[in-house]
Amino acid sequence: MGVEGIGASVVRKEDKRFITGKGRYVDDVKLPGMTYAHFIRSPHAHAKVKGIDASAALKLPGVVAVLNGKQIVDDKVGNLICGWAITSKDGSPMKMGAWPAMAPETVRFVGQAVAVVIAESKNLARDAAEAVVVDYEELPAVANVTDAIKAGAPQLHPEAPGNQIYDWVIGDENAVNDAFSKAANVVKLDLTNNRLAPNPMEPRSAVADYNEAEEHFTLYTTSQNPHVARLVLSAFYNIAPEHKLRVIAPDVGGGFGSKIYIYPEEMVALWASKKTGRPVKWTGDRTEAFLTDAHGRDHVTHAEMAFDANNKITGLKVKTYANFGAYMSLFSSAVPTYLYATLLSGQYDIPAIHAEVIAVYTNTTPVDAYRGAGRPEASYLVERMMETAARQLNVDPAALRKTNFITQFPHQTPVIMAYDTGDFNASLDAAMKAIDYAGFAGRKAQAKAQGKLRGIGVSCYIEACGIAPSKAVGSLGAGVGLWESAEVRVNPVGTIEVLTGSHSHGQGHETAFAQLISERLGVPISQVSIVHGDTDKVQFGMGTYGSRSAAVGLTAILKAMEKVESKAKKIAAHQLEASEADIVIENGEFKVTGTDKSIALPMVALAAYTAHNLPDGMEPGLKESAFYDPSNFTFPAGAYICELEVDPATGKTSFVNFVAADDFGRLINPMIVEGQVHGGLAQGIGQALLEHAVYDANGQPITASFMDYTMPRADDLPSFKLSHTTTLCPGNPLGIKGCGEAGAIGASAAVINAITDAIGKNNLEMPATPDRVWRTIHAA
Amino acid sequence: MYQTTYHRASSVDEAAALFAKGSEAKYLSGGQTLLPVMKQRLASPSDVIDLAKIKELIGVDASGDTLTIKAATPHYDVATSDAAMKAIPAVAYLASLIGDPAVRYRGTIGGSLANNDPAADYPAAVLALGATIKTNKRSIAADDYFKGLFATALEDGEIITAVSFPVPAKAGYAKFPHPASRFALTGVFVAQTKSGDVRVAVTGASQSGVMRVGAIEAALKANWAASSIDGVTIPASGLLSDLHGSSDYRANLIKVMAQRAVAAAG
Ligand SMILES: Cc1cc2nc3c(=O)[nH]c(=O)nc-3n(C[C@H](O)[C@H](O)[C@H](O)COP(=O)(O)OP(=O)(O)OC[C@H]3O[C@@H](n4cnc5c(N)ncnc54)[C@H](O)[C@@H]3O)c2cc1C
């Protein structure tokens, strides 16, 4: 390997443009004749739209058009779709209410758009929006699942009686009941998993440009998956056939899942561009982000775990109510089912599991996948359960975990997943050593002498990443395949362009992916460019989410590379008059083993393109593509341990130490991996201590700005101590498992386990704000 | 933001004259409160009159028994001022806790006091130290200045020019920041005057803005020690209650922060 190959902590190529302000984001796009959109959004959580009077607005200077929900429905722009079909336990399909891009009749959450003003400037559009009079008739609203499922609750959609979308089950209920009837001990736990607002740094934005002569659209948009956006816009929203729609996702400033979905604003911008004959730009502000970016989590769960007399888990039953918000977002249905309940076995050998998930509409912002998506909820549940059980059974929490760890692989869980490999003892041991677990009791006593309550909390997470085998997800209801594509182009002078269907919105693909090429060919990464995010440049691909880009996307690149190498070797052998089998690639040269004969990559490339002297029958050129569909999920896993102190007078938590021992399989760029873990941990800790998207009983959001929604800041977080215990993933040739979500999945349980340990009380909900912790300490 | 006309005044008199000419004029100091409100279109002044460049409004000095902070002095300058650190270190410390560096480089004491946010830090120091608010028209005692949430004794167009703080025997400030906004969820400023009087002011906690707490004052007057507050009961009635702090939690914080402020004061 060269210095820039696999395993090297190469500095990120893309950072120069980001750090110097030379990134090119959607909002930087300026087109001749461009207009600006401003949405008129409902101030009510639930209301009938009785009328919209735009006459005064249309008279204002610079106003191009005021368009409303009735018009977009009349123009047959399709309703928003949900891409994963879930079947209820009674065999009925999920019950989905209609979601038009702007509400023609009824608004169901604060922030839902009813109309849009298109004007010559952003400010003029805002001025005009204030002159549009919307006549609402308020309806009763409901904001949480507990109220929404009650008889007599306000009803959101006629399609979904009782506000219930589905009642889905997984696992063997009889086997679980049997386990509980024989149990020596049963541990019970009630939990909520708090709703979060994703808050990527860059708000969503779209620029739509319709060319009437060509009947062709270009859409610049903040997307994690531009091809999926084009597919959905074409196939379901009737915007334009695929070949008449180019989707470009240029530099994108963070996504965390929230930019997977195709949102109403993009649909409206495209439609409005055609209607007005002008390019249309919309850029949301932070408040709009809080109101309209899909939120994450929001579960209410009751769980019970059965143990035998040797403290071995014999069964787990779980009942979860998932708040979907007012509409079913693109992958919402899969999150609390196949991304959640299938991970309820955690790292443990649990013979019987049964879970029931009830999906519920409420008058709140739609909920969908957010960093971790279902797996943080599962991991939080399992790991708080293990800690609760250890306390109830009066055993050391680490020891209880070890008693129950899966140690033989492959391991088939009772909830679909087949874990391929792992070493859970190794990661827990590493984390315990890093934090000096054995010395904790002494430190706790010392802290006590100073009036501080010290606690330690363990969390052993597992996730299913590298999403996903297409055949498997298809059989579970997914509307798409989840392979990835790549094309490797060696240019005539030997530089290399890699076209990938993955999309980088902060993950560092331009560096990490280039490192694979460097590894294989021995060329510096400066000779490689990674091309992504433009449907006119790149072949169809599935995009980036679910920690899939290295495990799936990079493997596709490897497959294409192997084809390129194979052809290049044939050319080299022909040029060097050697046997193809004797050609090896080293430092950018094709060498004949055991001789000093060699030919440099640029010469091979040139030979491929001049085609003056190629082997008989060989096509000119040096460019190959591949589609890679994984055979299984990957299973990153690890152990996090958090040590902290609580100030009993104020309930404030201060970190003492936070250690992470992760098993991500092979690391391409350890520095980038470390950054991913840091960010994930910040989000997991944010969920545990700080973040909460809150609505009042009438569905009014009360955390729609950073003045009320606590975004984690650097001084809220400890310095993390990271380490890796590695088992290579057998499912892909590079042995990669993925690292993008682990921190967000594993961290929150470690924090809450540590606080509840410190205060000696087990009942504590997230976020553990100082007020909550203080109240819990002093509760009778 | 709506259209507005910007003026940069070079003296207090010029600023007052410009204000009188505008139909709905507003003074601008650090802009850390006014500009966000204007950007959200919640304020639409016809004219914005910038005070931040008026030389006579900038500076910190201590002479005799008084620390004077001129109105347009940014928080950062106060936090790092030798004069303030020497005369009343608790005031410099308080300024260092306001917002983040960007806010401290711009935001000013005059703007903070004119705005009188119920969770702002300066009002606690001004009230506890019995400071005097100087304006272009008069001097206002702290006890007469604060009139509830975002309300003050200032008249329309009146300009705060400086705040003078009598140097106390002892003073301390303890702030429990609001987790999201980092304003004071509860902040307590304690002061013992050179004549032995004790004044304690609380910000962030009360429904009617910055307030004095007689019970703690009495306890500290009897015995200037954190432990003397142990027996004080703070009623939760009249206190703010929201997502980040219920009224009984704030009542608890008043006590705990008062004790920490006393400990800091020495
Ligand atoms: C992110 C953020 C965090 C913050 N955190 C804190 C915090 O932790 N603690 C805290 O106390 N504050 C905090 N603030 C507020 C900050 O301290 C502001 O500086 C202060 O509230 C207003 O001061 P300014 O100079 O910016 O005033 P401006 O915004 O310019 O003006 C505010 C108001 O005062 C009027 N005004 C200004 N100067 C005068 C004057 N000399 N005479 C008469 N009227 C005048 C203006 O007309 C306006 O109505 C924060 C602000 C931000 C944006």
Side-chain angles (χ1 to χ4, degrees):
Chain A
M1 124 185 168
V3 287
E4 295 180 331
I6 289 176
S9 284
V10 180
V11 169
R12 301 192 341 161
K13 291 205 301 182
E14 48 270 71
D15 282 349
K16 185 170 178 190
R17 75 174 187 274
F18 295 146
I19 291 168
T20 57
K22 298 289 195 290
R24 199 154 183 278
Y25 297 88
V26 175
D27 193 57
D28 296 322
V29 174
K30 289 187 180 65
L31 302 177
M34 191 166 77
T35 63
Y36 297 80
H38 185 84
F39 283 88
I40 297 168
R41 301 186 181 279
S42 171
H44 305 295
H46 199 188
K48 284 247 170 288
V49 182
K50 307 269 282 187
I52 299 176
D53 181 357
S55 52
L58 285 165
K59 291 191 193 109
L60 291 173
V63 175
V64 177
V66 180
L67 305 170
N68 64 43
K70 200 170 167 313
Q71 289 169 292
I72 202 166
V73 172
D74 288 347
D75 282 358
K76 307 223 164 8
V77 172
N79 290 336
L80 277 83
I81 60 156
C82 180
W84 198 307
I86 298 292
T87 306
S88 283
K89 64 181 180 188
D90 65 5
S92 63
M94 61 187 189
K95 300 184 173 64
M96 184 173 169
W99 185 8
M102 295 191 287
E105 275 173 15
T106 310
V107 286
R108 296 184 177 85
F109 67 97
V110 172
Q112 186 175 3
V114 296
V116 65
V117 178
I118 312 293
E120 299 291 346
S121 80
K122 214 170 168 167
N123 238 0
L124 289 169
R126 262 185 103 169
D127 287 346
E130 285 172 14
V132 175
V133 183
V134 185
D135 182 12
Y136 294 101
E137 178 191 322
E138 269 193 80
L139 298 171
V142 62
N144 62 65
V145 288
T146 319
D147 292 338
I149 57 171
K150 283 186 186 147
Q155 298 292 301
L156 272 83
H157 296 279
E159 298 88 345
N163 296 319
Q164 188 174 300
I165 297 164
Y166 56 69
D167 180 348
W168 171 90
V169 289
I170 188 170
D172 183 342
E173 194 171 13
N174 291 333
V176 169
N177 288 339
D178 191 43
F180 275 80
S181 69
K182 293 180 189 143
N185 287 292
V186 171
V187 180
K188 299 181 181 179
L189 193 58
D190 286 291
L191 292 178
T192 43
N193 201 288
N194 42 321
R195 177 185 282 240
L196 304 174
N199 277 315
M201 200 182 296
E202 179 206 23
R204 288 191 293 113
S205 182
V207 177
D209 183 17
Y210 179 64
N211 180 326
E212 194 183 352
E214 306 268 325
E215 294 181 342
H216 180 278
F217 290 88
T218 303
L219 174 68
Y220 300 83
T221 184
T222 46
S223 175
Q224 300 178 210
N225 32 231
H227 281 97
V228 176
R230 186 181 68 167
L231 169 68
V232 172
L233 288 162
S234 293
F236 299 100
Y237 301 159
N238 306 326
I239 299 293
E242 280 169 293
H243 67 301
K244 294 289 187 184
L245 172 58
R246 176 181 184 185
V247 178
I248 302 170
D251 285 333
V252 173
F256 311 115
S258 72
K259 292 172 181 166
I260 295 172
Y261 327 114
I262 294 82
Y263 285 91
E265 290 85 358
E266 295 153 276
M267 300 162 65
V268 170
L270 286 161
W271 169 70
S273 175
K274 183 170 179 182
K275 257 191 134 51
T276 61
R278 303 273 298 271
V280 174
K281 174 188 274 190
W282 170 77
T283 300
D285 62 22
R286 186 57 61 185
T287 306
E288 286 179 296
F290 273 109
L291 296 179
T292 65
D293 289 5
H295 287 173
R297 323 280 192 253
D298 207 343
H299 287 188
V300 177
T301 295
H302 175 77
E304 300 185 11
M305 194 176 254
F307 287 85
D308 70 12
N310 299 318
N311 293 337
K312 294 276 271 182
I313 308 166
T314 54
L316 172 65
K317 57 180 167 194
V318 174
K319 184 169 187 178
T320 293
Y321 291 91
N323 187 343
F324 271 46
Y327 297 97
M328 291 185 73
S329 177
L330 191 62
F331 288 108
S332 57
S333 54
V335 176
T337 49
Y338 293 111
L339 294 176
Y340 164 69
T342 54
L343 272 305
L344 286 171
S345 197
Q347 298 189 353
Y348 311 107
D349 185 3
I350 307 182
I353 299 178
H354 182 258
E356 177 172 13
V357 178
I358 297 157
V360 180
Y361 279 123
T362 63
N363 294 107
T364 60
T365 298
V367 176
D368 206 326
Y370 163 64
R371 201 171 192 168
R375 292 152 292 166
E377 295 92 315
S379 182
Y380 180 67
L381 167 64
V382 172
E383 287 308 287
R384 280 213 60 191
M385 181 61 100
M386 292 307 283
E387 204 79 16
T388 305
R391 289 169 193 167
Q392 187 175 320
L393 302 174
N394 206 16
V395 292
D396 175 76
L400 182 66
R401 287 177 168 88
K402 290 186 169 202
T403 305
N404 287 285
F405 274 158
I406 294 161
T407 52
Q408 302 293 315
F409 296 91
H411 173 88
Q412 177 63 52
T413 72
V415 278
I416 298 179
M417 290 299 172
Y419 299 165
D420 51 6
T421 185
D423 187 343
F424 306 146
N425 277 301
S427 44
L428 181 54
D429 286 340
M432 288 168 72
K433 187 154 175 260
I435 206 156
D436 183 20
Y437 191 82
F440 173 71
R443 297 193 296 276
K444 186 177 175 91
Q446 247 172 21
K448 198 172 176 196
Q450 284 153 18
K452 293 287 161 66
L453 306 173
R454 194 175 273 222
I456 197 162
V458 177
S459 171
C460 297
Y461 74 90
I462 187 161
E463 44 173 337
C465 291
I467 288 174
S470 300
K471 203 169 161 186
V473 296
S475 74
L476 301 177
V480 287
L482 289 166
W483 43 265
E484 196 47 90
S485 69
E487 182 174 309
V488 175
R489 295 181 185 164
V490 181
N491 295 320
V493 286
T495 58
I496 296 150
E497 286 164 319
V498 177
L499 286 70
T500 171
S502 299
H503 183 274
S504 184
H505 32 281
Q507 292 89 343
H509 295 172
E510 290 169 41
T511 305
F513 288 4
Q515 286 181 249
L516 172 73
I517 310 302
S518 177
E519 173 79 22
R520 301 291 300 200
L521 298 179
V523 297
I525 60 171
S526 60
Q527 279 186 28
V528 184
S529 66
I530 305 297
V531 180
H532 65 95
D534 184 341
T535 59
D536 261 16
K537 289 185 185 164
V538 180
Q539 68 292 338
F540 196 96
M542 292 308 298
T544 289
Y545 36 82
S547 304
R548 67 192 307 274
S549 295
V552 187
L554 191 58
T555 305
I557 296 173
L558 175 68
K559 298 282 179 192
M561 265 306 291
E562 284 170 352
K563 296 184 195 172
V564 164
E565 286 168 16
S566 157
K567 183 168 180 183
K569 280 183 179 171
K570 286 193 179 78
I571 297 170
H574 182 73
Q575 300 269 329
L576 296 167
E577 294 173 346
S579 151
E580 192 193 328
D582 292 338
I583 304 287
V584 291
I585 309 173
E586 268 170 32
N587 297 328
E589 308 244 315
F590 289 73
K591 295 186 176 161
V592 185
T593 38
T595 73
D596 58 359
K597 288 206 287 183
S598 73
I599 176 170
L601 172 67
M603 300 313 293
V604 176
L606 199 59
Y609 286 95
T610 56
H612 295 162
N613 183 18
L614 290 176
D616 276 349
M618 179 182 275
E619 288 177 14
L622 193 50
K623 176 194 105 157
E624 299 288 347
S625 65
F627 284 69
Y628 170 70
D629 199 349
S631 57
N632 191 357
F633 293 88
T634 65
F635 297 95
Y640 295 163
I641 307 183
C642 168
E643 185 169 332
L644 48 74
E645 277 182 3
V646 175
D647 176 353
T650 62
K652 178 145 177 61
T653 296
S654 317
F655 287 99
V656 177
N657 209 341
F658 196 109
V659 302
D662 292 297
D663 179 357
F664 297 139
R666 190 178 315 283
L667 309 182
I668 305 300
N669 182 322
M671 179 200 69
I672 290 178
V673 168
E674 202 165 298
Q676 289 288 312
V677 177
H678 283 190
L681 290 173
Q683 281 169 307
I685 291 171
Q687 170 161 34
L689 292 180
L690 307 166
E691 298 185 55
H692 196 187
V694 183
Y695 290 83
D696 74 10
N698 299 317
Q700 282 295 328
I702 53 179
T703 49
S705 86
F706 288 136
M707 296 301 275
D708 301 298
Y709 186 92
T710 315
M711 244 345 240
R713 303 184 202 192
D715 67 355
D716 289 315
L717 302 167
S719 281
F720 307 114
K721 278 195 203 145
L722 310 188
S723 64
H724 301 282
T725 57
T726 299
T727 59
L728 292 179
C729 176
N732 61 66
L734 292 164
I736 293 170
K737 297 187 181 181
C739 67
E741 296 160 293
I745 290 170
S748 41
V751 174
I752 300 297
N753 286 341
I755 299 177
T756 51
D757 178 51
I759 65 177
K761 296 203 173 158
N762 199 59
N763 283 336
L764 180 68
E765 297 289 11
M766 301 189 290
T769 60
D771 185 355
R772 263 191 187 157
V773 173
W774 174 80
R775 196 167 297 288
T776 309
I777 293 171
H778 298 283
Chain B
M1 196 179 282
Y2 296 108
Q3 289 265 353
T4 188
T5 307
Y6 172 87
H7 311 267
R8 177 175 288 173
S10 52
S11 72
V12 173
D13 289 345
E14 188 195 350
L18 284 164
F19 188 96
K21 268 198 266 168
S23 56
E24 273 189 56
K26 273 265 181 203
Y27 296 120
L28 175 73
S29 192
Q32 296 304 294
T33 295
L34 183 60
L35 294 181
V37 170
M38 287 174 67
K39 280 195 205 159
Q40 290 172 301
R41 297 188 157 212
L42 298 171
S44 51
S46 60
D47 299 82
V48 167
I49 301 151
D50 193 347
L51 308 176
K53 298 286 185 300
I54 300 178
K55 290 217 169 60
E56 58 190 297
L57 289 182
I58 300 166
V60 181
D61 59 29
S63 59
D65 274 350
T66 309
L67 171 71
T68 302
I69 304 174
K70 292 184 183 159
T73 311
H75 310 322
Y76 174 81
D77 289 5
V78 177
T80 55
S81 148
D82 288 339
M85 283 193 277
K86 220 164 138 218
I88 319 179
V91 168
Y93 170 68
L94 175 148
S96 79
L97 300 179
I98 297 175
D100 48 49
V103 170
R104 291 194 288 276
Y105 281 125
R106 282 277 178 191
T108 67
I109 188 168
S112 178
L113 292 175
N115 189 49
N116 191 21
D117 188 306
D121 293 289
Y122 268 127
V126 169
L127 188 60
L129 290 166
T132 303
I133 287 111
K134 306 253 169 83
T135 77
N136 58 339
K137 294 183 177 159
R138 55 185 168 144
S139 290
I140 311 171
D143 287 327
D144 303 325
Y145 178 80
F146 299 103
K147 301 285 185 195
L149 309 184
F150 300 102
T152 70
L154 290 178
E155 283 162 11
D156 197 35
E158 193 170 2
I159 299 174
I160 301 177
T161 54
V163 184
S164 27
F165 297 91
V167 175
K170 288 176 175 180
Y173 183 60
K175 171 180 183 174
F176 194 90
H178 182 288
S181 76
R182 302 276 178 103
F183 275 70
L185 192 67
T186 292
V188 181
F189 200 103
V190 299
Q192 187 182 54
T193 65
K194 288 197 166 153
S195 62
D197 198 13
V198 172
R199 291 171 64 104
V200 174
V202 174
T203 187
S206 166
Q207 290 171 12
S208 38
V210 64
M211 64 168 183
R212 288 175 62 183
V213 188
I216 296 179
E217 289 178 352
L220 288 176
K221 205 165 173 184
N223 176 21
W224 180 268
S227 58
S228 61
I229 302 170
D230 285 345
V232 175
T233 314
I234 305 291
S237 65
L239 298 187
L240 292 165
S241 197
D242 54 37
L243 184 62
H244 295 281
S246 52
S247 53
D248 50 347
Y249 181 62
R250 280 182 160 96
N252 170 64
L253 284 182
I254 290 175
K255 240 175 103 166
V256 175
M257 292 299 121
Q259 291 179 316
R260 291 181 185 178
V262 172

